[in-house]
Every structure is written in structure tokens, then in C-alpha cells.
């Protein structure tokens, strides 16, 4: 396996010294499987997939599938690329830079109303896996989303799923979107630095950043959506998030390839359901743990409940996502979304996992 990375220049030298489980979160990295190539559809030998943060636990199935050799077993030559936010993965997909994106399912609804036909083909999760964290500096100022008014709230990127969910939590609790300031801070070291330096009062992020923040005592959990129960309490239902989504036209023209991808990912989801967090951590690249294997295992353990076992879209999940987006997004609120076109179970139902 080969790995290359482009490191984002950090303005302050102090940021470079931060030790975090997500040191790679702001990298644009790529890894390639060593498969003999795609066979059967004659459309090519390689599939490029952009991930909204390869080392984020919510997107763990992407790298784990490669590490387990399941892409190779399907005869696939998969290159995994990484950007720090899901919205950037979405952009790479619709611009044709990649054939697939691993990111939040909600982007398929957002893209449909913008005239782009994109669908989830493997649903990794039935909960967001996201956590709203209040900084230690703002400990007494934010006790619930009702207190978001006038605050600076961190998100991975503007237009990202963390941005979407933050806006929903605000609106649901009587705070207008215009009453707070979203701040794009990425994940990992940049998110943690923003909390510690007071650039944000609170923010939404995922593991392993969550585990690192708690370990550093840099903040506390306000809303935990890493489990189906947490999703139900915060959002009113199952919230399908992490997924493999692709442009519908490409899926229809490359069904053999998509089926192989589904086979590989479903195998991984089933493998995850029968192995411990420490066993999963042991399969991941060594640098993902940043020298603290125990903390990395804790991060995985806390996020595991969000994952599906079979890659199937959870019942009523699309409806929950639509309700969330319509609450604050005027474009979607005034549009008719055909949910049936935002996902398919055709491939996971046939998966040989």
C-alpha cells in the first residue's frame, strides 16, 4: 500500500505541536489497494473514492475495507482520497474527479434540489456519529442548544453535514440560523485549537477528535448523537449519515463495479459487528492512533453503535433527514424531494458479504 499526503500549512507553530488522534484530518491523502483491477463491465480498472476525512471514525469502513483486503478480493483497484469535510467530498464527486464519495447521506437530498442525481448505494450508519462539544472556556454559558444565540459554533466546513445538524439543533430549540455564527474549523488539531483559543464557543465533531478533546479536558459533551438512541433524542428518528454515494448515471452504467463495491463494504460492516474496538483499531494505519492506542480504541468503541450491519438504509431514515433539512434550509423546504431517488438497496440486497 502506498500513502501520500499534502499537509495544510498551519499559521501558528503551536498548532504543529498539538498531539491528536486526527493529525491527518486536514490532509488531502490518498491510498490505493493493490487489486488486479475491475473486471466484467469493461469500464476501467480503477475506482476513485473521496472520503470526508479518512481517519474519522464515522468513515472508518472505507480504510478498514482496504486494510482487510476486501477490495482486492473483489478484483477492485480502489484509490481512497481524503479531504477534511464531507462537503468537499461532495464537490469532488459532482465535478467528476472521483467516482464515489464517502460522506453523509444528507448530501444526496441537497444535491437533488440543485439538479444533481446522486444516490447512496451502501448505508454505513443509522446515526450521525456527531457530538456537540462546549469549550471549557464557555462552560457556564451553554447548557443546551437554546443558548446558541450570539455564539460562535464550529463546523468542519460551511455547507457540511455538521453545519446542517448545528442549524437544525438551533432551530429546533428556538434559535434562528441568523442568531449565531458558524465557523469552519475542520477536525482534529484545528478543531481542538479553536476550542482552546476561544475561536469557537462550541462545535460539532466526531471521534477520534471527541476522545482527544475529553482527554485534554478542553470541552464537554452537550449533545451526543453517536448512537441510535442519541439520534432519536436529538433529531426525532434514525439519521442515516455515513454512506457510499455516487452519481446515479454512473451507477446505472457500472452496475457490476458498484456491486463489487457493495460486496466489499458489506463484508466490512459484518466484520465490524463481530470484532472488538481494539481489534478494529489494530487493523487501521498505525498513525491513526497517534501513539495512544487505548484512546483510539475508546473512540472507536463509542462510535460503533452508529454503524449498520448490512449496509441497508434504516426504515424512516430518509424521512428524518428530510425533516431536519427542511427545518432550516429554504431551498429544500420549498422543494419536493423524491426520497426514493436518493438511495438504492439494489446492491446491498445482493451483497455477498
Amino acid at each position: 500500500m502506498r500513502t501520500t499526503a499534502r499537509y495544510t500549512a498551519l499559521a501558528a507553530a503551536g498548532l504543529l505541536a498539538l498531539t491528536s488522534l486526527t493529525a491527518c484530518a486536514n490532509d488531502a491523502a490518498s491510498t490505493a489497494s493493490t487489486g488486479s483491477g475491475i473486471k466484467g463491465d469493461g469500464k476501467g480498472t480503477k475506482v476513485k473514492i473521496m472520503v470526508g476525512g479518512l481517519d474519522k471514525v464515522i468513515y472508518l469502513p472505507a480504510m478498514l475495507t482496504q486494510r482487510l483486503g476486501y477490495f482486492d478480493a473483489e478484483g477492485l483497484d480502489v484509490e481512497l482520497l481524503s479531504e477534511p469535510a464531507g462537503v468537499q467530498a461532495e464537490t469532488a464527486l459532482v465535478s467528476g474527479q472521483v467516482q464515489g464519495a464517502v460522506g453523509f447521506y444528507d448530501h444526496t437530498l441537497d444535491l437533488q434540489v440543485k439538479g444533481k442525481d446522486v444516490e447512496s448505494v451502501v448505508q454505513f450508519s443509522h446515526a450521525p456519529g456527531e457530538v456537540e462539544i462546549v469549550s471549557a472556556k464557555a462552560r457556564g454559558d451553554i447548557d443546551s442548544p437554546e443558548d446558541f444565540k450570539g455564539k460562535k459554533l464550529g463546523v468542519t466546513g460551511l455547507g457540511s453535514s455538521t453545519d446542517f445538524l448545528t442549524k437544525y439543533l438551533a432551530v429546533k430549540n428556538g434559535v434562528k440560523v441568523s442568531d449565531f455564527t458558524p465557523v469552519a474549523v475542520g477536525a482534529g488539531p484545528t478543531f481542538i485549537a479553536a476550542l482552546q483559543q476561544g475561536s469557537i464557543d462550541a462545535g460539532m465533531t466526531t471521534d477520534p477528535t471527541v476522545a482527544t478533546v475529553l482527554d485534554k479536558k478542553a470541552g464537554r459533551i452537550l449533545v451526543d448523537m453517536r448512537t441510535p438512541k442519541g439520534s432519536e433524542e436529538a433529531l426525532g428518528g434514525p439519521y442515516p449519515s455515513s454512506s457510499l454515494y455516487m452519481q446515479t448515471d454512473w451507477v446505472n452504467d457500472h452496475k457490476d463495479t458498484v456491486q463489487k463495491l457493495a460486496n466489499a463494504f458489506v463484508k466490512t460492516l459484518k466484520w465490524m459487528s463481530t470484532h472488538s474496538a481494539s481489534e478494529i483499531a489494530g487493523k487501521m494505519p498505525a498513525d491513526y492512533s497517534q501513539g495512544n492506542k487505548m484512546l483510539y480504541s475508546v473512540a472507536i468503541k463509542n462510535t460503533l453503535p452508529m454503524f449498520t450491519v448490512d449496509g441497508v438504509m434504516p426504515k424512516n431514515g430518509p424521512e428524518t433527514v428530510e425533516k431536519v433539512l427542511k427545518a432550516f434550509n429554504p431551498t429544500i423546504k420549498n422543494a419536493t424531494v423524491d426520497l426514493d431517488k436518493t438511495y438504492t438497496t439494489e446492491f446491498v440486497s445482493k451483497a455477498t458479504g
Side-chain angles (χ1 to χ4, degrees), residues 138 141-142 147-153 179-183 201-202:
D141 297 330
I142 303 176
D147 301 321
F148 283 173
K149 188 173 182 178
K151 300 299 189 294
K152 295 173 291 184
L153 304 179
D179 287 340
F180 66 90
T181 303
V183 182
D201 301 299

Side-chain angles (χ1 to χ4, degrees), residues 72-111:
D72 290 346
E74 292 292 330
L76 296 171
D77 182 5
V78 174
E79 182 176 7
L80 297 175
L81 302 156
S82 184
E83 287 286 0
V87 66
Q88 291 162 316
E90 169 195 298
T91 300
L93 178 69
V94 297
S95 66
Q97 296 176 49
V98 296
Q99 290 75 53
V102 170
F104 268 38
Y105 161 73
D106 54 23
H107 290 294
T108 67
L109 280 72
D110 187 50
L111 287 169

